Amino acid sequence: QVQLVESGGGLVQPGGSLRLSCAASGFTFSKYAMSWYRQAPGKERELVARISTTGLNTNYADSMKGRFTISRDNAKNTVYLQMNSLKPEDTAVYYCNAVPPTQPWGQGTQVTVSS
């Protein structure tokens, strides 16, 4: 069955960095584009970034451009999100999923940006 396991979150000060990882299993990872999403308290889940099957094409939400970098390692069935220059408004639970999204979603990883 599909399993998505996100990790790498934590508490970081504004301006800091984190690298999130998402290990995928239960489907042919290299054949799916992948995305990172986030959900802040009281808000809907939003798309953060997307990466093509080969990793050659990436897209970002406007507020993440220039700060976040999505990448993937098809040999490890893993997608990454490097987050730099973090802001308090980046505080959220971060999730990964395939494109289109599969079920079930993973548990996510909490990112808290606070001084």
Side-chain angles (χ1 to χ4, degrees):
Q1 65 278 22
V2 172
Q3 189 172 19
L4 300 164
V5 180
E6 300 90 348
S7 62
L11 173 63
V12 63
Q13 292 187 343
S17 298
L18 283 173
R19 189 191 193 208
L20 307 184
S21 299
C22 170
S25 60
F27 62 101
T28 307
F29 180 80
S30 61
K31 292 188 176 181
Y32 286 83
M34 295 293 294
S35 291
W36 280 97
Y37 299 83
R38 70 184 185 185
Q39 187 166 19
K43 295 187 177 181
E44 293 187 355
R45 189 173 293 169
E46 62 173 340
L47 177 67
V48 172
R50 181 168 295 171
I51 188 167
S52 64
T53 55
T54 61
L56 294 179
N57 294 301
T58 57
N59 301 97
Y60 300 90
D62 287 344
S63 61
M64 290 73 161
K65 287 180 181 178
R67 299 190 300 123
F68 291 8
T69 303
I70 188 171
S71 61
R72 66 190 295 161
D73 185 337
N74 285 345
K76 295 182 178 179
N77 287 2
T78 300
V79 61
Y80 305 97
L81 186 68
Q82 177 69 42
M83 305 187 296
N84 299 327
S85 303
L86 283 162
K87 305 175 182 180
E89 51 264 43
D90 294 319
T91 295
V93 179
Y94 284 72
Y95 304 86
C96 71
N97 212 322
V99 179
T102 66
Q103 297 293 340
W105 289 73
Q107 83 289 348
T109 186
Q110 174 71 48
V111 172
T112 302
V113 185
S114 176
S115 54

